[in-house]
Amino acid sequence: MNEIEDNIQPSALSTEPKPKIAFIDDEKRILRSMKLLFRKSHDVFITTDPNEYIDYIKNNHVHVAVSDQRMPERVGVDILREVKEVSPSTMRILLTGYADLNAIIGSINDGEIYRYLTKPCKSEELQSVVGRATEIALTYNPDENADQIDSSDNKQTLLVIDENDELIEQIRKQFSNSYKVLHATSLETAYDYLANYDIGVCITDINVAGENIAPIIFTLKQDAPHLVVLVQTQFQDASLLIDLINKGQVYRCLPKPMRASLLEISVNRAFRHHSNLKASPDLVKRHEVEHDPENDIRIDLSNRVRSFIGKLRKRFSL
């Protein structure tokens, strides 16, 4: 047993058990702080041992798992990937003081984390994120959210937003038999498609026609939570990647140039995820985006594009 473990059991006077939260960090001081911060609201488990951490989550119904990234034995991304395997319903949060590009991409592609928080993180922010993650976990019933398959005869629609003719030709050859493929080389064309077609999956570069498309992704995910977004680019900006997790809940980050095999797996899984989101309101909550009140200020769109957003909101509110 880890020497610092001091789990807080629900009070004998409590009528309901507290939700469980598990923290792992290589710094005992931080773990003690986490225990003190959450002991009133949660049944808290703390450890520095990755094996003990995974065993606890495997044998207990843990609602939220929080892991530091840089630790001596294993990195947080790998730990949360295993958490996902042994307990898919557990909400996963990565907490780190280092903006590691590989770790961020890994947390998207492998861990499918709920939030990526950077140290030092204010207690109020951490409590808010953990509180919302706990609410979502408490309402999520995995037995009611089995994988859904679209049994309709109509092809699902894939939208590609990119200026690269070779890429769109590759995608058309690879997916036209399975999906309806639409191609947009501008943001206005993309919104036109999004407003008038039931788009399931969107593949987009982070820059289109010289514009950073990230704020558009943030807005899209707020208005169209069932849309699954795959971003492909040569990533250099760690802060942008973190925003793509927290504010965009992007499904996968794909490198350029894309291998056909990786693209095939990613797109097919994305459509399966889209079908699951449409079938399950609870699952949509698990992938909700962080609200950014400044987002509308940063997006300078024409009136025509704004009208498309209005149509989109109406369609998804039905």
Side-chain angles (χ1 to χ4, degrees), residues 48-100:
T48 60
D49 184 341
N51 293 326
E52 188 176 55
Y53 188 72
I54 295 300
D55 284 344
Y56 178 79
I57 292 174
K58 188 184 297 184
N59 295 302
N60 293 271
H61 183 190
V62 176
H63 298 84
V64 181
V66 184
S67 175
D68 186 34
Q69 169 61 11
R70 292 200 174 185
M71 291 176 288
E73 296 182 39
R74 294 179 64 187
V75 295
V77 167
D78 289 343
I79 292 172
L80 291 181
R81 181 190 300 119
E82 190 166 351
V83 169
K84 177 188 169 187
E85 292 173 358
V86 303
S87 180
S89 63
T90 298
M91 299 293 286
R92 300 171 292 276
I93 298 171
L94 190 65
L95 183 63
T96 180
Y98 302 90
D100 184 327

Side-chain angles (χ1 to χ4, degrees), residues 85-140:
E85 292 173 358
V86 303
S87 180
S89 63
T90 298
M91 299 293 286
R92 300 171 292 276
I93 298 171
L94 190 65
L95 183 63
T96 180
Y98 302 90
D100 184 327
L101 284 170
N102 289 332
I104 301 170
I105 293 174
S107 67
I108 296 172
N109 293 349
D110 301 322
E112 292 182 10
I113 66 168
Y114 175 66
R115 291 291 183 267
Y116 186 110
L117 300 178
T118 54
K119 296 178 179 177
C121 180
K122 293 182 179 178
S123 297
E124 295 81 5
E125 179 185 8
L126 183 58
Q127 286 178 308
S128 176
V129 170
V130 167
R132 181 55 186 154
T134 302
E135 290 176 12
I136 294 169
L138 287 169
T139 61
Y140 181 67

